[in-house]
Amino acid sequence: MSRRTLAVVSAGLSQPSSTRLLADQLAAATRDELARRGVEAELRPIDLRDHAHDVVNHLLTGFPPPALRDALDTLAAADGVVAVTPIFNASYSGLFKSFFDLFDATTLADRPVLIAATGGTARHSLALEHAVRPMFAYLRAVVVPTAVFAATEDWSQAAADGALRSRIVRAAGELADQVARRAPAAPPDPFALTAGFDELLAGRDPS
């Protein structure tokens, strides 16, 4: 059985978090779909709530502390990505956007990504197509066709209910197809510079 890794990015701010719950269910469903295709998947969660201060500091200084560096490397080395954000003011959260701002436009090129979001009502679901999908298109990722939105009424006793469950399974199958057909991602070079010398001297790291 071949092996792949999935980075599971959740930008929920509360604990417990419906955003993290959706991310976990999408990741588990993708793992199950990959297993049906003869691929063993390792899930690597990245809870952005734990890195919020470090993300801001990295944007200001260009140098990530070790915990954030590990999260960045995890995403850069993943064979596929599950990315879930809460919807605030009809768009992704600032923390979600700031985290992905730390990557240049080549890191996620040709990387399969499943996008999802949570919000109070289904009226916010279009933010996935108007905001989240274009962001990953700019990063040249391969975003699977099915985006998953979970409103408050979609949950029943902390489990995905009815139509939401079917969307989770469909999106997970699409991500599994993309991950399984690709060769494993190459690990990042630990000695590679993430900025040119001029940018380092200026204190600015675009990655």
Side-chain angles (χ1 to χ4, degrees):
M1 181 176 282
S2 60
R3 187 178 181 85
R4 300 291 190 276
T5 61
L6 293 176
V8 185
V9 181
S10 170
L13 299 180
S14 60
Q15 287 185 325
S17 166
S18 61
T19 303
R20 175 62 189 267
L21 178 61
L22 179 58
D24 288 345
Q25 296 209 10
L26 287 165
T30 305
R31 180 187 58 203
D32 293 344
E33 292 293 331
L34 282 168
R36 293 188 183 97
R37 293 158 174 77
V39 178
E40 181 181 0
E42 178 186 353
L43 305 181
R44 297 181 178 179
I46 301 173
D47 197 335
L48 297 187
R49 184 181 186 276
D50 297 335
H51 302 287
H53 294 290
D54 289 342
V55 167
V56 174
N57 289 336
H58 185 13
L59 288 170
L60 294 173
T61 67
F63 297 96
L68 179 58
R69 179 77 269 168
D70 288 345
L72 298 174
D73 289 345
T74 293
L75 185 65
D79 296 293
V81 179
V82 174
V84 189
T85 178
I87 298 301
F88 297 144
N89 297 325
S91 188
Y92 37 59
S93 76
L95 178 58
F96 184 83
K97 178 62 162 60
S98 295
F99 177 72
F100 285 99
D101 281 345
L102 301 178
F103 297 92
D104 63 33
T106 64
T107 303
L108 294 180
D110 198 42
R111 195 71 48 86
V113 176
L114 191 168
I115 59 173
T118 57
T121 73
R123 291 193 302 271
H124 297 302
S125 61
L126 287 178
L128 278 164
E129 303 301 330
H130 292 166
V132 182
R133 191 180 295 273
M135 184 188 79
F136 283 104
Y138 172 79
L139 293 171
R140 295 158 49 191
V142 178
V143 185
V144 301
T146 301
V148 180
F149 182 85
T152 302
E153 61 265 24
D154 287 316
W155 298 103
S156 174
Q157 298 180 349
D161 194 24
L164 174 58
R165 183 62 195 172
S166 67
R167 294 198 301 272
I168 288 174
V169 172
R170 183 169 67 248
E174 292 169 356
L175 181 61
D177 283 341
Q178 292 290 337
V179 170
R181 72 177 58 171
R182 287 168 164 77
D189 182 356
F191 301 105
L193 288 174
T194 57
F197 285 109
D198 291 341
E199 291 168 324
L200 291 172
L201 289 173
R204 174 61 176 164
D205 181 352
S207 69

